[in-house]
């Protein structure tokens, strides 16, 4: 059980005390009323003796009585009614609530820390003379551990309300005080009348109530003297007369009201009556307000008002002249004869109300307090206790004389107990003998009377003996009611005996409880016995047995009693040695349920809240839902709306495992509660709604208009939208592109206040800075909702909640800042004008669905916008029950079962509601509205029950982890995605691509158009495009617009500029020179940044322009993602960043086309056809058709081969065929050979100026002018890309340890060939039964002689991981020497001879043929050459095929050639017979003249020089 203020011994002793009645005259009552007290109330705080009392038992042994208390009450002649008692008990429990603001007791039970409230001060502390010390003791008292003061109040009033019965005498009056005032005209006459009145009440048959202990009741005569009114001599005279007439022992003169009106009002006098009377004001007030005397009542019924506090007696609170019990409701009271005068009813009620609420004891001093205390002691010592001692002796003598045994009861009891025992019958064997009545003079009752007297004066040993004797007699007579009473008090006597001579007979109490309950059907006595036994068991730490007793006593006849006992049983479980926490929680739930049925909402709420501490967070979701549901309902009934909302909110936000119908019932109830809350305070801020869930971290914000969709062949730029998924790598690429163009615009440096443009913000973007939005451009917020319930939710009038601060950023000062506006209250009419807010009428979320919604704001002024959250109406969907297979009737039944109420709608629908208790139905208007409101929600339209609320968008920023402090603590940065800054208007660009392809062949050229549209009211300028793949597209050169397209181009829809050529001269090259500056190669911008050629460089508002755009398929097959970033600026200055960007991502799928491999070698012909063409090359092209896709490509045609270089040019095609246009079908190859020569002096001069020579060799019927757009554009872009790759490769490679010398560079340069080949082709494709002609170009860059180059990009293989080596350079770095391969190409060798030579060997046997050896120094420095003619072919094959010959004359030559010098050597070859001979046998060795090298390097052998010798 819960801890109580009193100990068990104190509780039992204070429950059963001697009863003293009071009868007052009118004057005496008037004197006490000056203090707002009746006489009984006046003496009540002093009714506990502060000293020990001694008395003699029948054996003349001294017996000590400690801490004795008496009960002084007014006489009431009507017993209380049970209905009134129940109502009073209910009010007592309601009035006793946990104290607020005090520290609660925390009980640790196992793994649980239970918060059990409250703390109260013990009310039975004796009152001492020094009232200050008493207050100090009260404040520091150890008796402050009560956890359930309502239980003690209930128990106290329960014992007070028990009427006296005939089978026991504990509540019978032992004495009667007759109180008369000294102001009475004849006090002695008043004593006589009061004595006669008491005698008539006791002995007249008209009065069955109250009960008197013995016929000869002690009468104690009290004379009250009001000191403030004087007349002390008269009082003394009357007192002497009283003593002379009645005796000194039963008379007393009580002087009081010593405080004069002139005394200081600020003098502090203690109020000892407050602890007895204040807690009863509620009941007294109700009795006063509800009392209306019957019309037939005599005048005496409303005279002599006395209001007594309900503390220890059943008579407190009603004047003695009202012959009805204070618990009596409407029963008529009997008439009393007496000298009382009539008073109006209004005066009576007024006096009672003043007494219940006014100050008490205002006319008393501390001396008066001592006099009253002394009066009680004198009455007890000299009157009451001697009377009790005398009565005990008389009863003992009567019993001894009637039994004829020994003189004393001690001897008699010994004989009774030592003899043979009468076998006791069990309860099941006994019949109901509750109707058996003993006459008053029966010896069995005399024994019981003596036992009760001994019990009242704490003589528990003698009391037990008497109870035990009476118990046996009653059982023999089968007087079960009497026997049960004797058993009950015998057990109590054993427990209260000092020294514990006997073991507490638990079975006595159990038998008494069972007898009261089952045989006698007297639940009141059974409850009393249960309370006594439970307290005794608790004091013995037998909590389990106490809990069992309490639980057994619960029944359906009294919900309040059951609730009180169940709660105490729960506390028993928690106070066990091994606390049973779950049993505690379960029984607290049961107690809360019964409290609710007993209309004790506060206590029901408290029980459920305490039980929730055990069930919360343990995974018992269904139990949690039930508890929260009841907590919410009771809180709503008590108008604790915040608690109700919190409880229902927990049901909804918790992972509920309820069925859909149950969840909908919870939701409807929650909506009704929330609606009631909002109606009570319509001006309050919008409440926070728990449904649906909002994934705040998943909130995305988009700034800008929705782009216009694509129309047919016009494709809009992809830009950024909420439909795109965020990719961190892509975002970083866009950021790099923007930084590059910003750096270019700002002359190579990025501004410090630069802020990366972010159109869409999410949890992965950088949200530390305030985003920037533009006036008249919408702000779209995407919110992710999740419905945790299984029932659908309907959100209506859904919109964003925002706050806006006006600010003019161009002014730079905040003086012009205007007021802030918000749409939370709709109080600002200009809110809708300045910021347009989109409202979604209906938004439905299915059960357990995650769904996104997009809401827009359109700001019309500059300032700071703060998006706070969302606001909406939450309601249910009418079809939710139908979707779950339930009709409206079943849904109503679910709601009714949840609420445990009945309603007319249920009866009409034929549904039987859950049974409810008919004695404790909710009666308040609020409850009726609540319950009817819940039943009203069923069957309504979806919008019939909805609440307006909000949910804040609270986004937590990223965790900070930069500094040491941030790393060692948990700190989060700010997330500003919902706080944009609205700046002034800016231009807005839209880009459309016309006929933009999605698939291309590698190298394929396609002409499209791009349209730029300015959809804003501001002009834009500085349009640029940034792309990491600039060789993919081209806007054309500066002169391309001035060059008209040829008619052939227009007819064939070619993307190139073509000219029809003459077939006769197609083998020779057509040359032209261009400057890279014409194609944007000298703009100073990186190759990634390209200026868009807008007319006049400005695009006006609402204007549009179309520009041609050439595309070339990437050389590598596959899917390519190409990012375009369009950069543009406003013509006006802006406070924030003035530039804007537009993104576009193009997806191009490329497939294979042709593969071109090129190799260059030195030509043997040093005598050029054109004079001066000494240095020339042979160029071999290997072209293969590698297209393997099913794209319908039939064949490729190589229509032209062009070259572009500053030093070299193609001269002619060496192997022209009859079919000039080379055709390649699938997997076919072709080999082409071209001659390339160095540029002539005039051309070299132009090249030195930075111009490139384009040479076109036409293989088809028309020439493509390669020096114009778009061929030249893509060529220069590919060259730039190659240089970028080469530079990137060089930076990643390990630097060489050797320096490159000047000579080495010259040697390397002589082997370098800076020649770029452009192969232009056409492809014929069949698509949809139509033949299409595709065209394109491939680039091959030749770098050196003899090294093959390919048009396909080189795929670098992953390098194997090698160990890192650390090398120490001990020697200084030496200049690097040329390699042998480089040195073998210093000299170009050529032999000039006739191809056919006729000779008559018959006439002359030796044939001498002149041969000229031409040597050309390819480098720029002097070279020493050795020509050795002694070399002969030793290979048998060479001898067999070519025969043998010899050189005549000098066979070794040593020559020195200057740079680029040509030297000829005249040789003679001697042949002896006809045949085919190879003249290429001379060996040439060369070394650099200025190098200290001992050996020469053999030069690369030339191609075979065959000569045919004919014999004639």
């Amino acid at each position: 059980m819960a801890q109580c203020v009193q100990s068990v011994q104190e509780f039992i002793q204070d429950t059963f005390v001697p009863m003293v009645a009071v009868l007052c005259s009118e004057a005496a009552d008037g004197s006490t009323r000056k203090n707002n007290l009746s006489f009984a109330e006046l003496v009540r705080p002093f009714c506990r003796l502060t000293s020990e009392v001694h008395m003699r038992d029948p054996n003349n042994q001294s017996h000590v009585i400690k801490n004795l208390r008496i009960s002084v009450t007014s006489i009431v002649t009507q017993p209380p009614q049970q209905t009134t008692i129940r109502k009073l008990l209910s009010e007592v429990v309601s009035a006793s609530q946990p104290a607020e603001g005090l520290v609660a007791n925390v009980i640790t039970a196992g793994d649980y820390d239970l918060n059990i409230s409250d703390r109260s001060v013990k009310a039975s502390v004796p009152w001492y003379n020094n009232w200050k010390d008493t207050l100090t003791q009260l404040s520091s008292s150890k008796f402050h551990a009560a956890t359930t003061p309502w239980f003690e109040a209930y128990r106290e009033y329960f014992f007070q309300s028990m009427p006296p019965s005939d089978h026991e005498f504990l509540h019978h009056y032992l004495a009667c005080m007759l109180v008369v005032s000294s102001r009475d005209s004849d006090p002695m006459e008043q004593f006589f009348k009061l004595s006669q009145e008491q005698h008539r009440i006791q002995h007249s048959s008209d009065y069955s109530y109250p009960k008197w202990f013995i016929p000869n009741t002690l009468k104690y005569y009290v004379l009250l003297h009001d000191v403030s009114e004087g007349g002390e001599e008269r009082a003394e005279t009357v007192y002497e007369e009283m003593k002379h007439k009645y005796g000194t022992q039963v008379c007393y003169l009580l002087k009081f009201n010593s405080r004069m009106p002139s005394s200081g009002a600020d003098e502090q006098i203690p109020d000892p009556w407050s602890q007895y009377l204040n807690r009863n004001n509620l009941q007294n007030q109700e009795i006063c307000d509800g009392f209306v005397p019957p019309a037939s009542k005599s005048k005496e019924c409303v005279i002599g008002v006395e209001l007594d506090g309900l503390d220890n007696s059943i008579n407190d609170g009603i004047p003695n002249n009202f012959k009805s019990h204070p618990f009596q409701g409407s029963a008529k009271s009997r008439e009393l004869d007496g000298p009382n005068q009539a008073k109006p009813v209004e005066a009576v009620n007024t006096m009672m109300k003043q007494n219940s609420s006014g100050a008490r004891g205002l006319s008393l001093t501390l001396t008066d307090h001592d006099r009253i205390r002394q009066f009680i002691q004198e009455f007890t010592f000299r009157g009451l206790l001697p009377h009790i001692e005398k009565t005990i002796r008389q009863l003992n003598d009567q019993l001894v004389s009637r039994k004829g045994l020994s003189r004393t009861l001690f001897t008699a009891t010994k004989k009774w107990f030592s003899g043979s025992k009468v076998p006791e019958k069990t309860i099941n064997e006994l019949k109901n003998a509750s109707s058996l009545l003993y006459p008053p003079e029966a010896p069995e009752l005399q024994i019981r009377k003596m036992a009760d007297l001994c019990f009242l004066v704490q003589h528990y040993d003698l009391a037990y003996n008497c109870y035990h004797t009476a118990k046996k007699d009653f059982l023999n007579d089968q007087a079960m009611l009497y026997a049960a009473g004797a058993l009950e008090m015998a057990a109590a006597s054993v427990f209260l005996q000092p020294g514990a001579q006997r073991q507490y007979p638990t079975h006595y109490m159990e038998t008494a409880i069972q007898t009261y309950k089952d045989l006698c059907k007297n639940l009141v006595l059974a409850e009393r016995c249960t309370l006594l036994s439970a307290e005794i068991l608790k004091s013995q730490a037998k909590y389990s047995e106490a809990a069992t007793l309490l639980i057994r006593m619960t029944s359906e006849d009294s919900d309040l009693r059951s609730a009180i006992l169940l709660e105490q049983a729960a506390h028993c479980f928690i106070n066990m040695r091994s606390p049973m926490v779950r049993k505690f929680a379960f029984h607290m739930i049961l107690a809360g349920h019964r409290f609710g049925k007993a209309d004790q909402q506060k206590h029901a709420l408290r029980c459920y809240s305490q039980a929730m501490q055990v069930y919360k967070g343990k995974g018992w979701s269904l139990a949690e839902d039930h508890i929260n549901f009841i907590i919410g309902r009771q809180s709503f009934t008590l108008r604790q709306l915040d608690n109700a909302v919190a409880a229902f909110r927990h049901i909804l936000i918790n992972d509920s495992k309820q069925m859909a119908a149950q969840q909908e019932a919870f939701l409807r109830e929650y909506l009704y509660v929330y609606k009631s809350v909002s109606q009570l305070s319509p001006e309050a801020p919008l409440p926070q709604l728990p449904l649906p869930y909002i994934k705040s971290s998943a909130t995305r914000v988009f700034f800008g208009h929705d782009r216009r969709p694509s129309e047919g062949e016009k494709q809009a730029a992809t830009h950024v939208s909420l439909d795109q998924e965020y990719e961190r790598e892509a975002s970083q690429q866009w950021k790099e592109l923007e930084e590059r163009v910003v750096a270019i615009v700002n002359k190579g440096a990025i501004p410090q206040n630069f802020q990366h443009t972010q159109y869409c913000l999410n949890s992965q973007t950088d949200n530390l800075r305030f985003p920037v939005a533009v006036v008249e451009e919408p702000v779209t917020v995407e919110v992710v909702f999740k419905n945790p319930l299984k029932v659908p939710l309907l959100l209506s009038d859904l919109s964003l909640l925002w706050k806006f601060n006006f600010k003019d950023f161009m002014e730079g000062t905040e003086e012009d800042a205007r007021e802030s506006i918000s749409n939370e209250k709709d109080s600002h009419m200009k809110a809708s004008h300045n910021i347009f807010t989109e409202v979604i009428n209906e938004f439905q979320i299915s059960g357990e669905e995650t769904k996104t919604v997009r809401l827009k704001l359109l700001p019309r002024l500059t300032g700071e916008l703060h998006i706070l959250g969302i606001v909406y109406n939450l309601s249910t969907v009418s079809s939710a029950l139908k979707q779950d297979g339930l009709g409206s009737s079943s849904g109503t039944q679910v709601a009714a079962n949840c609420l445990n109420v009945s309603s007319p709608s249920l009866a009409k629908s034929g549904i039987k509601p859950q049974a409810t208790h008919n004695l404790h139905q909710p009666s308040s208007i609020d409850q009726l509205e609540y319950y009817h409101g819940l039943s009203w929600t069923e069957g309504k339209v979806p919008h019939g029950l909805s609440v307006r609320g909000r949910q804040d968008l609270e986004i937590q920023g990223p965790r900070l982890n930069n500094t040491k402090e941030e790393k060692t603590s948990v700190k989060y940065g700010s997330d500003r995605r919902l706080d944009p800054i609205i700046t002034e208007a800016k231009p807005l660009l839209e880009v459309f691509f016309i006929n933009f392809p999605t698939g291309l062949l590698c190298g394929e050229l396609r002409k499209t158009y791009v349209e730029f549209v300015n959809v804003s009211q501001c002009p834009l300028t500085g349009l640029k495009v940034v792309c990491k793949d600039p060789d993919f597209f081209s806007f054309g050169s500066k002169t391309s617009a001035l060059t008209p397209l040829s008619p052939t181009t227009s007819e064939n829809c070619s993307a190139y500029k073509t000219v029809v050529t003459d077939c006769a001269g197609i083998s020779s090259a057509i040359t032209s020179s261009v400057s890279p500056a014409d194609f944007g190669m000298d703009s100073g911008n990186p190759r990634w940044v390209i200026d868009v050629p807008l007319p006049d460089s400005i695009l006006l508002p609402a204007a549009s322009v179309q520009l041609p755009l050439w595309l070339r398929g990437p050389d590598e097959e596959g899917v390519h993602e190409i990012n375009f970033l369009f950069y543009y600026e406003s013509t006006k200055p802006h406070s924030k960043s003035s530039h804007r960007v537009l993104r576009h991502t193009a997806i191009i799928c490329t497939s294979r086309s042709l593969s071109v491999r090129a190799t260059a070698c030195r030509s043997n012909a040093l005598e050029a056809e054109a004079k001066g063409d000494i240095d020339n090359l042979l160029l071999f092209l290997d072209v293969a058709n590698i297209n393997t896709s099913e794209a319908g490509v039939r064949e490729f045609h190589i229509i032209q081969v062009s070259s572009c270089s500053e030093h070299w040019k193609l001269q002619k095609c060496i192997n022209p065929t009859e079919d000039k246009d080379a055709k390649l079908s699938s997997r076919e190859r072709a080999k082409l050979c071209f001659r390339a020569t160095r540029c002539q002096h005039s051309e070299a001069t132009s090249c030195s100026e930075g111009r490139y020579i384009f040479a076109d060799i036409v293989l088809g019927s028309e020439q493509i002018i390669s020096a114009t757009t778009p061929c030249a554009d893509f060529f220069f872009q590919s060259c730039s890309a190659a240089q970028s790759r080469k530079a990137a490769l060089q930076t990643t490679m390990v630097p060489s340890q050797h320096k490159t010398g000047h000579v080495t560079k010259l040697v390397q340069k002589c082997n370098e060939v800076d020649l770029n080949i452009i192969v232009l082709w056409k492809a014929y494709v069949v698509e949809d039964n139509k033949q299409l002609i595709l065209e394109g170009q491939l680039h091959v860059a030749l770098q050196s002689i003899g090294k093959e180059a390919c048009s396909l990009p080189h795929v670098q293989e992953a390098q194997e991981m090698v160990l890192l080596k650390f090398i120490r350079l001990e020697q200084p770095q030496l200049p690097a020497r040329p390699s042998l391969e480089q040195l073998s190409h210093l000299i170009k060798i050529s032999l000039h001879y006739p191809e056919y030579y006729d000779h008559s060997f018959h006439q002359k046997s030796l044939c001498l043929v002149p041969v000229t050896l031409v040597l050309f120094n390819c480098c720029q420095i002097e070279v020493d050459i050795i020509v050795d003619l002694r070399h002969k072919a030793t290979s048998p094959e060479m001898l067999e095929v070519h025969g043998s010959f010899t050189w005549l004359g000098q066979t070794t030559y040593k020559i020195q050639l200057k740079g680029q010098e040509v030297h000829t050597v005249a040789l003679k070859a001697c042949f002896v017979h006809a045949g085919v001979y190879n003249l290429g046998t001379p060996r040439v060795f060369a070394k650099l003249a200025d190098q200290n090298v001992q050996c020469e390097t053999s030069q690369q052998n030339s191609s075979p020089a065959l000569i045919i010798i004919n014999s004639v």
Side-chain angles (χ1 to χ4, degrees), residues 283-328:
Q283 290 76 19
N284 296 338
Q285 184 70 31
E286 184 173 342
I287 294 173
C288 295
D289 294 340
F291 173 75
V292 178
S296 61
K297 188 179 293 289
S298 61
K299 295 181 180 181
E300 289 81 3
C301 295
V302 291
I303 297 175
V305 178
E306 172 180 302
L307 187 61
D308 211 357
L310 301 175
D311 177 41
N312 297 309
S313 172
I314 59 175
N315 303 323
D316 298 349
I318 296 296
N320 63 334
N321 289 333
F322 287 117
K323 301 306 178 182
S324 62
H325 196 274
F327 303 148
Q328 179 68 29

Side-chain angles (χ1 to χ4, degrees), residues 28 175 195 347 418 427 468 481 699 706 716 722 770 776 791 802 842 874 896 950 1111 1151 1164 1400 1412 1422 1469 1473:
S195 178
S418 62
I427 296 300
H468 195 275
L481 180 61
T699 302
D706 293 335
L722 290 172
F770 292 96
E776 298 295 339
V791 297
W802 50 263
E842 287 189 357
L874 175 62
R950 62 183 287 179
L1111 306 177
S1151 56
N1164 294 329
S1400 174
T1412 303
E1422 291 184 356
H1473 52 79

Side-chain angles (χ1 to χ4, degrees), residues 1463-1474:
H1463 181 76
T1464 59
V1465 179
L1467 303 176
K1468 287 185 180 181
C1470 179
F1471 303 91
V1472 295
H1473 52 79

